[in-house]
Amino acid sequence: MNERFPIPIPYPDELLYGVISRYHLRANNTSPKCTFKEVYGTKNVIPTIDLPSHIEAFSRRSMWHEMTADDWIKDHTFYPYYSPFLPKDRANRLKQLMKGPDGSGIHALVGITASTVDRSGDLRFCSQCYKEDIHQFGEPYWHRIHQLPGVWVCPVHRDVLHRMTYPVSDRYGLTVLPISKKMFGSVPIVANLSGKTINQLSDIARDIQALMQTNDLPVLYESRNIFLPRLRKQGYVTAGGRIRQQKLEEQFVICYGRELLEMLGSLPYGKDYTWLNLATRSARRAIHPLRQMLLIRFLYGSFNGFLEQSEVDDAPFGKGPWPCLNKAAEHYRTSIITDLRITRCTDTGRPVGTFTCECGFAYSRRGPDQSEEDKYRRGRIKSFGPVWMDKLQVHLREGISYRSMAALLGVDTNTVMKYAKGTVTTRNLEPALLESPRKSFKPVRSKGSKHTRVDWGKRDLELSWIVEEACRRMLSDRKNKPVRITISAIGKRIGKLSLLEKQKQKLPVTMAVLSGYLESTSQFQIRRVRWAAEQMAGEWPIKRWKLVKKAGLRPGYAQEVSDEIDRCIGQGAAINRIASAEVTPLWLH
């Protein structure tokens, strides 16, 4: 270390690369390798703008700044830009590589090497920031925010950034931002932008700045689970929980415009495996932070809006304790419930909260709560509990009317009559989903009503023929994509789903026939592979990855499925060789 020229104190949001460049200038070293030897302890370093290595060694040589390696990584590198969108173990591994002496695998670990998002090597600056830095600090410096992917406009001044054209060092050197504009040349990184595009780029830059300034962010790698409540709310999720990918992509492109998305390298291309599809599916690979930020802005309006809304989505019923709505209890409407279980409504996707009190009373309602009064709203009663039952017995002994008891107990008259007459016992109470006070009780069929006896033997035999015919048709269908043969699939096709699910014991012949056709996961995957191979019969050679994609297989399929893939590929090669042998004589004439 050059004792006459200590490592400069870093400026706010200055690149670590910039700190070393300023040291290089002050030390008046003729070669960057001399500077690297002094600040890193070795000459074998390539100065990296985004995710540098050797930071542990660098921090030991600047201990008088009281900054640890973690401080340098967090405040002066791109680490906070990438780490929230990586699995936690990979983010920790990235930090260790940046601290250590070998940074050769850093960019591959993050996924930058394979990304189609532009990774510019140009150093950028804002003309307004340049002037203000000279006025405030006496010299300009390289701002980290200006170098991040997706930042084309200064988030503070909303001006298009400039890049230096000369003097610029190669990848082994250090480029300093001179104190006078007469000493270097620069041009805007993009020209002829409309006011709308500049505003959009400015908003995106501000979101990225908010990302860099936010501490203790949650891991955003599992983006599907995080975005799902918002996607449901905006109508991009079906009742079955599937993402409406086509609708999502259409609205996403309309929101930003094709020109801007192409400019940012983030236009969703293809059909099934676009980055937008992957971002809203179960995580199997990391999505570039810029693209995740674009999706966040599309769904929440801004990154800060995402942070605020995430808290609401995580607590759709507010913070507990919640009120007990048992009118028979002395603590009625008192907030004493701490047991809350949240599920999702299969029809609407909205959260459903089940609140259980210590008195045994349990109720549910759909969320999220929109006002303070919503916490006193009750949907379905799941359990009455002993306190309510005891109160019912008291009122029965008092001899008051059912209507009056219903008003006192917070239920409808039919519910009171059921329990008063003993049609529902306390031991059956807990697991039963009881009717809401707003719904009437269906009367039981009287003994004198007519009832036609079913000939289950005849029905079973007739149904078995229908089921077998449906199974054979599904197996023989070569035009359409295969559908797995299950009880549900067959039942829906023949319009007898309820019968097959609820009357299995009365349909032995039908169930025996159906069991011979039911497919395991591997059997269905093998049938899909064969179907895909038939669809690709005109292609040669058949590429394995293409066959797997056509068959719709996910990683982790069984060995027998893999063997079938190999067999189909080999069969395709054999057919091609036979065809080639037949055609060859024609080319000899």
Side-chain angles (χ1 to χ4, degrees), residues 83-95:
S83 60
F85 304 99
L86 296 173
K88 195 170 184 179
D89 58 340
R90 201 187 305 176
N92 292 334
R93 173 64 178 155
L94 171 61
K95 183 178 286 188

Side-chain angles (χ1 to χ4, degrees), residues 40-339:
Y40 290 122
T42 177
K43 296 180 180 180
N44 300 321
V45 179
I46 297 176
T48 307
I49 294 172
D50 52 3
L51 299 169
S53 59
H54 295 78
I55 296 181
E56 191 72 66
F58 174 82
S59 66
R60 287 197 297 266
R61 286 167 170 75
S62 58
M63 285 296 290
W64 67 280
H65 290 323
E66 298 183 353
M67 289 182 64
T68 65
D70 287 337
D71 294 331
W72 284 104
I73 290 172
K74 181 174 74 73
D75 297 330
H76 303 284
T77 73
F78 285 18
Y79 179 81
Y81 180 77
Y82 289 103
S83 60
F85 304 99
L86 296 173
K88 195 170 184 179
D89 58 340
R90 201 187 305 176
N92 292 334
R93 173 64 178 155
L94 171 61
K95 183 178 286 188
Q96 294 307 313
L97 286 175
M98 292 176 69
K99 289 181 179 181
D102 182 10
S104 57
I106 286 179
H107 292 92
L109 179 70
V110 175
I112 298 174
T113 309
S115 176
T116 56
V117 175
D118 181 39
R119 182 190 169 205
S120 175
D122 297 327
L123 284 162
R124 306 173 175 186
F125 69 95
C126 166
S127 297
Q128 294 294 325
C129 291
Y130 178 90
K131 296 176 184 177
E132 292 178 2
D133 292 342
I134 293 175
H135 178 74
Q136 183 175 358
F137 303 110
E139 61 181 335
Y141 64 92
W142 297 119
H143 288 246
R144 176 177 61 169
I145 185 65
H146 296 155
Q147 321 306 324
L148 293 170
V151 178
W152 294 59
V153 173
C154 176
V156 177
H157 301 103
R158 302 172 69 91
D159 288 345
V160 174
L161 299 177
H162 285 63
R163 64 178 179 85
M164 272 183 62
T165 55
Y166 71 88
V168 178
S169 300
D170 60 21
R171 64 190 296 257
Y172 300 101
L174 294 165
T175 300
V176 181
L177 185 58
I179 197 169
S180 172
K181 285 194 173 182
K182 296 180 180 179
M183 301 171 65
F184 68 97
S186 67
V187 294
I189 61 175
V190 66
N192 301 322
L193 294 179
S194 65
K196 177 183 177 182
T197 302
I198 290 178
N199 288 336
Q200 286 178 309
L201 290 171
S202 177
D203 291 337
I204 293 168
R206 289 183 178 183
D207 280 349
I208 294 175
Q209 186 177 48
L211 167 70
M212 301 298 287
Q213 294 174 347
T214 303
N215 295 319
D216 302 322
L217 275 171
V219 176
L220 302 177
Y221 176 68
E222 294 282 354
S223 54
R224 174 188 167 88
N225 296 335
I226 296 169
F227 299 152
L228 197 57
R230 195 67 171 184
L231 289 165
R232 287 185 189 276
K233 189 174 182 179
Q234 296 187 5
Y236 295 113
V237 183
T238 66
R242 298 179 69 87
I243 306 296
R244 294 187 172 98
Q245 295 288 357
Q246 184 176 353
K247 179 182 177 182
L248 176 62
E249 182 176 321
E250 288 174 355
Q251 295 302 313
F252 181 83
V253 174
I254 290 172
C255 174
Y256 290 107
R258 297 182 67 88
E259 182 181 354
L260 178 64
L261 291 174
E262 287 179 346
M263 176 179 170
L264 298 174
S266 298
L267 182 66
Y269 285 105
K271 291 184 178 180
D272 298 326
Y273 290 92
T274 68
W275 71 261
L276 190 56
N277 292 153
L278 297 173
T280 51
R281 290 176 177 171
S282 298
R284 290 195 294 272
R285 66 181 71 174
I287 306 298
H288 195 282
L290 171 59
R291 293 171 171 175
Q292 293 277 31
M293 294 297 287
L294 289 172
L295 181 55
I296 286 173
R297 182 166 192 83
F298 169 72
L299 292 175
Y300 298 89
S302 68
F303 185 72
N304 286 327
F306 162 70
L307 295 177
E308 294 168 2
Q309 188 62 40
S310 295
E311 297 178 0
V312 176
D313 290 338
D314 289 340
F317 300 98
K319 296 182 179 180
W322 298 271
C324 176
L325 302 183
N326 182 3
K327 290 192 74 172
E330 294 182 357
H331 54 258
Y332 174 58
R333 291 175 68 92
T334 303
S335 297
I336 61 170
I337 293 179
T338 56
D339 184 356

Side-chain angles (χ1 to χ4, degrees), residues 414-442:
N414 287 319
T415 301
V416 172
M417 292 171 64
K418 281 194 296 182
Y419 288 97
K421 294 178 180 179
T423 56
V424 181
T425 61
T426 54
R427 63 186 173 85
N428 293 328
L429 183 62
E430 295 299 327
L433 299 180
L434 302 171
E435 294 294 328
S436 165
R438 294 172 294 185
K439 295 182 179 180
S440 61
F441 174 67
K442 289 184 178 181

